[in-house]
Amino acid sequence: MHWFTALFVLLLLASTAMRSWLNRRQVAAVLRHRAQVPEAFAQQIDLAAHQKAADYTVAGAALNRWDVLLDAVIALVLTLGGGIDAIDRAWQAAGLSPAWHGTAVVLSTFLIVGAVGLPLSLWRTFGIEARFGFNRTTPALYTADLLKSLVLSLLLGGPLIFVILYLMQQAGDLWWLYAWLVWVAFTVFITWAWPTLFAPMFNKFTPLADEALKQRTEALLQRCGFASKGVFVMDGSRRSVHGNAYFTGVGRNKRIVFFDTLIERLQIPEVEAVLAHELGHFRLHHVRSRLILSLGMGLLGLALLGALARWPEFYTSLGVSTPSAHAALLLFMFVLPSFTYFLTPLGSWWSRKHEFEADEFAAQHADARQLADALVKLYRDNATTLTPDHLHSAFYDSHPPALVRIARLQSLATQRS
């Protein structure tokens, strides 16, 4: 066995085992605290809601066990199992030029992987989400979303893959630098265009209509020096009863988006506090810094791929008999997660740090207690567990655990009172 084959298998097994172990820890922690609501939440969340969150988390973890297994099987089948080679051979009879042939192989591989994962997606939506009363997606809407996503992937991703493969084949040793510049332009375009061009294909966005809430939000936007296309309400209730809010876009296409389900459940001061938190991400340059990091990591990744693509044993050690640009790209995409999995906690920590900073910003420009109250309502209504396993949370959670976050907000409120 080649040493690189052994290293890949070892890291794949290690990451799969770690994912499974953390999953079991999460289930054990949630079940251990299922019988009692944490004291800090006892006045706002009753035992029935707490137990629903526990059962919802356990059900999601049960599905995640299959996700973990499926990811490992797909990686092995496509690489050492000869899957990429088989798809490559199937397209050779079409007689396409190298760039078109490679694009067809890459898109076919993604389509097959998506089809393999479709049953789990269906079970998540129409099984778990429906069982706990969250799903409002109809089979027709699910199918429409799936087809729209597929068309967008082909129209946007297809040309991008073609250009990258063409550069890999024709642009010499520095192809990865030119490909990165193309990737930068593509990423900035998608980030800029998504709120106004693509997101409306899936959801309806309407300007905030409630006059009292609109006055409060406009005053907050002015205090924070935020210029955007406005605050919009999204019809999230078409698909789910989960509530959320998010910041999207760059430049003049910046938007604050509230789910209609969130507007329905929160009081005006609570919505204002949530908006202040989202504005914190903008004013503290979190969106920009995440975009810069993503582009920087993309540059490093493409540079590494540029080196690996010239190494013959990169192909043979991973189950590909004939080196090619598209084989290198596919191998890199399906092998890299095993090599980077154990860096996951760093990204999660950075995201949680941003959430704490945005909370502090919200405490300066709104009421920290109102933000805490809003979050508790969201924890309850979204069936978010209040008692996650600390290692699972540290590894994966992009937001601080409920107990830690609420305690910190209460401390900020006390400091400002």
Side-chain angles (χ1 to χ4, degrees):
M1 180 182 291
H2 191 273
W3 68 267
F4 194 71
T5 308
L7 179 60
F8 165 58
V9 172
L10 176 64
L11 289 174
L12 178 63
L13 292 175
S15 60
T16 301
M18 186 69 171
R19 291 175 67 186
S20 299
W21 180 64
L22 289 172
N23 199 50
R24 290 196 299 272
R25 284 186 61 99
Q26 176 79 333
V27 170
V30 169
L31 292 179
R32 190 163 56 247
H33 297 95
R34 184 180 183 276
Q36 184 175 357
V37 181
E39 185 177 350
F41 298 98
Q43 301 300 316
Q44 296 165 285
I45 297 179
D46 60 27
L47 181 59
H50 175 66
Q51 292 181 336
K52 176 183 177 181
D55 296 341
Y56 179 60
T57 302
V58 170
L63 182 63
N64 188 54
R65 285 197 293 269
W66 291 104
D67 272 328
V68 171
L69 178 61
L70 186 62
D71 287 346
V73 169
I74 288 173
L76 286 174
V77 169
L78 287 177
T79 56
L80 303 181
I84 293 175
D85 247 5
I87 296 171
D88 199 347
R89 288 194 300 270
W91 274 102
Q92 286 176 359
L96 301 173
S97 65
W100 283 111
H101 173 83
T103 302
V105 171
V106 172
L107 292 177
S108 298
T109 303
F110 289 156
L111 184 62
I112 292 170
V113 171
V116 170
L118 185 59
L120 292 183
S121 174
L122 288 167
W123 177 243
R124 186 181 303 277
T125 300
F126 297 105
I128 295 175
E129 292 293 306
R131 190 200 324 165
F132 288 91
F134 293 128
N135 180 54
R136 289 182 177 172
T137 302
T138 64
L141 182 57
Y142 184 93
T143 303
D145 285 345
L146 189 64
L147 292 175
K148 289 177 186 177
S149 297
L150 180 60
V151 170
L152 270 182
S153 297
L154 292 174
L155 293 179
L156 297 175
L160 177 66
I161 292 170
F162 177 87
V163 170
I164 289 176
L165 291 177
Y166 181 83
L167 291 171
M168 291 178 73
Q169 295 160 1
Q170 303 292 332
D173 290 343
L174 288 179
W175 70 262
W176 54 270
L177 181 58
Y178 308 134
W180 178 73
L181 294 174
V182 171
W183 169 250
V184 169
F186 178 82
T187 301
V188 172
F189 167 72
I190 293 297
T191 304
W192 173 82
W194 185 264
T196 55
L197 293 182
F198 303 119
M201 295 175 60
F202 298 90
N203 290 97
K204 182 179 179 181
F205 296 83
T206 56
L208 188 60
D210 185 304
E211 282 302 321
L213 179 56
K214 186 175 181 181
Q215 290 178 10
R216 291 283 288 266
T217 58
E218 288 178 349
L220 178 62
L221 291 172
Q222 188 174 8
R223 291 201 306 272
C224 296
F226 184 83
S228 74
K229 289 291 185 179
V231 179
F232 289 80
V233 178
M234 187 186 86
D235 61 339
S237 58
R238 289 182 63 207
R239 294 172 175 81
S240 172
V241 301
H242 288 301
N244 205 351
Y246 64 91
F247 175 91
T248 185
V250 294
R252 294 185 177 182
N253 271 8
K254 296 190 298 293
R255 280 186 174 186
I256 297 289
V257 177
F258 290 119
F259 284 34
D260 54 357
T261 46
L262 181 139
I263 296 291
E264 292 168 0
R265 295 170 186 168
L266 301 186
Q267 301 297 316
I268 288 178
E270 294 169 343
V271 175
E272 180 187 40
V274 172
L275 175 57
H277 171 89
E278 296 301 325
L279 290 174
H281 286 306
F282 163 71
R283 296 301 298 172
L284 300 172
H285 309 299
H286 293 161
V287 177
R288 182 191 306 171
S289 60
R290 291 177 190 181
L291 179 60
I292 291 172
L293 177 66
S294 174
L295 295 177
M297 295 301 294
L299 178 61
L300 291 176
L302 285 169
L304 177 59
L305 176 57
L308 290 172
R310 297 194 300 270
W311 183 38
E313 290 174 302
F314 175 60
Y315 304 91
T316 56
S317 65
L318 294 174
V320 171
S321 57
T322 304
S324 64
H326 57 271
L329 183 61
L330 285 171
L331 286 175
F332 190 74
M333 295 179 73
F334 285 101
V335 169
L336 185 65
S338 297
F339 285 79
T340 59
Y341 172 76
F342 289 96
L343 298 177
T344 302
L346 293 178
S348 299
W349 167 82
W350 197 42
S351 178
R352 290 193 300 272
K353 179 176 181 292
H354 284 175
E355 294 303 320
F356 279 133
E357 291 171 355
D359 282 350
E360 292 176 5
F361 182 91
Q364 295 170 7
H365 295 87
D367 190 331
R369 288 189 179 87
Q370 295 292 342
L371 179 56
D373 289 344
L375 289 172
V376 172
K377 289 181 180 179
L378 292 175
Y379 295 148
R380 180 194 63 207
D381 295 342
N382 292 336
T384 302
T385 181
L386 304 175
T387 58
D389 173 67
H390 68 282
L391 284 180
H392 185 278
S393 181
F395 217 91
Y396 293 119
D397 286 354
S398 60
H399 289 63
L403 285 167
V404 175
R405 190 174 184 186
I406 298 303
R408 187 157 180 169
L409 281 169
Q410 291 172 343
S411 175
L412 289 171
T414 301
Q415 293 172 17
R416 294 186 62 82
S417 61

